[in-house]
Amino acid sequence: MNSSMILSGRQVRNFWHAARRNNGIERRLSPFHIPCGAGASAQYLNHALFSTAASDGTAESNKKSASDGPITAKIDATDTKIANAPNNSHLSNISELSKARLSALVVSTTAFGFVAAGPTALAFTSLPTFAAASIGTALCASSAATFNQVLEIERDRQMKRTGNRPLVTGAVTKEMAVGLGCLTGASGGLMLGLGTDPITTMLGIGNIGLYAGLYTYLKPKSEINTWVGAVVGAIPPVMGWTAAGGSLMDAEAILLGSTLFLWQFPHFFALNWMYRTDYKRGGFAMVAVDDPNGDRTASLIKRYAFYLASLPFLSTALEVTSPMFAVDGGILLNSYALYVAFKFDKERSNANARKVFLTSLWYLPCVMMLFLLHSRRWHEEVTDDDKLVLKDGQVDNESILVSMQKLINRVQSKGKELCMHEAIVSKDVGIWVGSESNKAAIDGSKCPISLGKAVAENASSSIAAHEEFELKQESSQEESQSSANETS
């Protein structure tokens, strides 16, 4: 049953804080118990009102407080939202120590690297391998983040952005955090060791040391820490690639790692600029801290945005992806990223820095998805010989691989339907290559990039055939001349 009453803003605020602090008689029952029900709500309400009266000193101040800003507050006796909130406090602390959102991003890049290996490679791996790579990477990332916060307690205390972290507020002790870091690091390394391969395991464990060790050590000492941190971020997709059976020297592994490495600079330099005062307060050696006009920050954001924009063209040149990746990822996607980078260069405001930062957040999943859609490896067909057959005769991963390949094929087909190039070059346009006597038709429904490649290949073969024909004619003429001389 709901009851309504007029409460001042201060009374409602005290009621809320009283519920969150879990004060009162009920706390003696259990440190995690929040009373619910009509009687419990009344106890908390009385405590909130009493706290207001005590803080004001007299009942008159209560009346004055109520008259300053009365609001209508509905107290739901059966509402358990407040009652259940503190039950999540420990999970919230662990999430904060582990930097759960950052760890989720790391796992997504690992999964991206794994799937980028293509259907043929994935046919020889298993779903448990994928799970071990993803979960193991998440645990290693959690461990690195926890140790990083353990080592930066005092600096975090000086910053507004990090002032509410569990170690700073005392919600979690240093010993507990160290224990969590050791547990997640050991379990992550063990999972990678048992479920993947030695290279992936070494990369995962090494990344803990690189982030919690060298990167954390350099943060207050040198601006080079940003570049070290970028290396840390570039490793997870490579871990996914090696876990799927790839090599560190594969072109795909280098491109995946380079994408994540270069992406972090516009992302972090924009964040660095927005919180430059806070980083200075914490004593961190960041580029923006010693860059009052933003000249270096803007220059670095533009430079690495250009480097990042070049990767789709490099990927196409190396024949890792189809030519359309250069259009989708290299031109369309990066045009806006470069636009916001130049906008920040023109006006070094926090608002423009935030646009760069927010653009980087959606840019990464978009470029990863486009890479997969245009990957040549995902044009391969999985044969029966490629599939891993178990002892009982069943084919492992068949349904997963087939489903994934069908999904990518559907998205590719839909993309072709929406492609503006294919709309321009319709099927009824007759395009022919070759000589009049030996001309061949080209399907006009193809995108001009593929069409141009076909024309170039046909032209090359025509030139080669023509040169061969001329050589044969010359040879024939020489033989005729030689025969004539012998006869004479």
Side-chain angles (χ1 to χ4, degrees):
M1 179 179 180
N2 295 337
S3 60
S4 300
M5 61 182 69
I6 302 298
L7 298 177
S8 70
R10 181 177 298 181
Q11 288 170 333
V12 172
R13 185 170 64 252
N14 285 348
F15 169 70
W16 170 250
H17 286 308
R20 293 197 66 186
R21 285 195 302 266
N22 200 12
N23 288 335
I25 300 174
E26 296 290 341
R27 183 169 183 173
R28 292 194 290 268
L29 298 177
S30 169
F32 306 108
H33 178 70
I34 288 292
C36 55
S41 297
Q43 286 183 5
Y44 274 111
L45 181 58
N46 289 336
H47 176 76
L49 297 175
F50 176 76
S51 298
T52 304
S55 62
D56 290 344
T58 62
E60 293 296 326
S61 60
N62 272 342
K63 294 178 181 178
K64 182 180 179 181
S65 174
S67 64
D68 287 341
I71 59 173
T72 302
K74 290 190 175 183
I75 311 299
D76 190 351
T78 62
D79 189 4
T80 59
K81 291 182 179 179
I82 295 178
N84 291 334
N87 288 336
N88 297 327
S89 60
H90 287 285
L91 291 176
S92 177
N93 290 335
I94 292 174
S95 175
E96 185 70 22
L97 282 172
S98 303
K99 295 184 180 178
R101 286 181 292 182
L102 179 61
S103 297
L105 175 64
V106 170
V107 171
S108 70
T109 61
T110 303
F112 163 57
F114 193 96
V115 175
T120 303
L122 296 183
F124 290 97
T125 59
S126 61
L127 187 59
T129 303
F130 175 77
S134 300
I135 298 173
T137 302
L139 290 170
C140 288
S142 170
S143 176
T146 302
F147 284 130
N148 170 262
Q149 292 183 58
V150 168
L151 296 171
E152 293 182 346
I153 296 176
E154 294 306 319
R155 295 187 183 278
D156 285 345
R157 199 187 308 276
Q158 305 301 320
M159 297 175 62
K160 293 181 180 179
R161 180 169 170 262
T162 57
N164 290 324
R165 286 180 172 175
L167 283 168
V168 176
T169 61
V172 175
T173 65
K174 188 175 181 179
E175 291 73 18
M176 291 173 61
V178 171
L180 176 65
C182 291
L183 177 62
T184 52
S187 56
L190 183 64
M191 182 164 290
L192 290 174
L194 296 177
T196 61
D197 59 275
I199 293 178
T200 306
T201 305
M202 286 189 293
L203 289 173
I205 296 175
N207 229 17
I208 298 176
L210 191 59
Y211 185 84
L214 184 59
Y215 170 69
T216 303
Y217 171 77
L218 288 173
K219 282 178 72 177
K221 297 182 178 297
S222 172
E223 293 176 355
I224 200 69
N225 72 80
T226 304
W227 281 260
V228 175
V231 174
V232 174
I235 290 176
V238 180
M239 292 174 61
W241 177 264
T242 56
S247 168
L248 288 174
M249 301 308 296
D250 289 337
E252 290 88 345
I254 296 172
L255 286 168
L256 296 176
S258 298
T259 300
L260 267 294
F261 178 80
L262 296 175
W263 169 84
Q264 290 176 84
F265 292 103
H267 172 82
F268 184 73
F269 284 136
L271 181 71
N272 186 196
W273 177 260
M274 289 189 291
Y275 294 101
R276 58 194 182 279
T277 303
D278 220 13
Y279 279 113
K280 185 175 182 179
R281 188 183 295 114
F284 291 110
M286 301 298 175
V287 171
V289 171
D290 296 322
D291 185 25
N293 297 323
D295 294 336
R296 291 183 60 212
T297 301
S299 175
L300 287 167
I301 288 176
K302 286 195 305 179
R303 182 190 308 171
Y304 283 98
F306 272 117
Y307 293 162
L308 192 59
S310 68
L311 288 182
F313 298 96
L314 179 60
S315 176
T316 300
L318 294 174
E319 297 189 346
V320 172
T321 55
S322 66
M324 275 306 296
F325 184 51
V327 177
D328 295 342
I331 299 176
L332 300 181
L333 187 62
N334 281 288
S335 293
Y336 185 77
L338 289 169
Y339 165 74
V340 295
F342 274 89
K343 190 174 183 180
F344 174 76
D345 182 37
K346 186 176 181 180
E347 182 183 352
R348 285 83 179 268
S349 64
N350 280 359
N352 286 336
R354 185 174 296 277
K355 287 181 180 178
V356 175
F357 177 76
L358 294 176
T359 299
S360 70
L361 294 181
W362 58 257
Y363 175 93
L364 185 60
C366 286
V367 76
M368 289 193 298
M369 181 57 67
L370 288 173
F371 183 92
L372 292 178
L373 291 177
H374 296 300
S375 172
R376 293 192 182 276
R377 287 182 177 265
W378 275 101
H379 290 279
E380 299 172 351
E381 294 292 336
V382 182
T383 64
D384 291 334
D385 294 336
D386 291 329
K387 296 171 183 174
L388 181 62
V389 181
L390 302 179
K391 292 182 180 180
D392 57 2
Q394 295 181 350
V395 179
D396 187 24
N397 290 341
E398 181 178 10
S399 59
I400 298 174
L401 286 175
V402 171
S403 299
M404 190 176 297
Q405 195 163 28
K406 285 182 177 179
L407 174 62
I408 290 180
N409 289 338
R410 282 200 300 269
V411 176
Q412 288 173 339
S413 299
K414 189 64 178 178
K416 287 182 178 181
E417 293 176 7
L418 300 175
C419 178
M420 62 179 180
H421 306 105
E422 298 205 19
I424 295 173
V425 185
S426 59
K427 289 185 178 181
D428 58 353
V429 177
I431 302 177
W432 301 81
V433 294
S435 61
E436 185 65 26
S437 60
N438 189 27
K439 63 181 181 180
I442 295 180
D443 185 2
S445 66
K446 290 185 177 179
C447 186
I449 293 180
S450 300
L451 186 147
K453 187 176 180 181
V455 171
E457 290 176 351
N458 190 283
S460 298
S461 61
S462 298
I463 292 172
H466 180 69
E467 290 177 348
E468 184 180 357
F469 175 75
E470 288 184 344
L471 287 173
K472 287 182 178 180
Q473 278 190 328
E474 290 178 359
S475 176
S476 178
Q477 288 176 357
E478 289 177 356
E479 289 179 359
S480 300
Q481 185 67 29
S482 162
S483 299
N485 292 336
E486 288 177 359
T487 303
S488 62

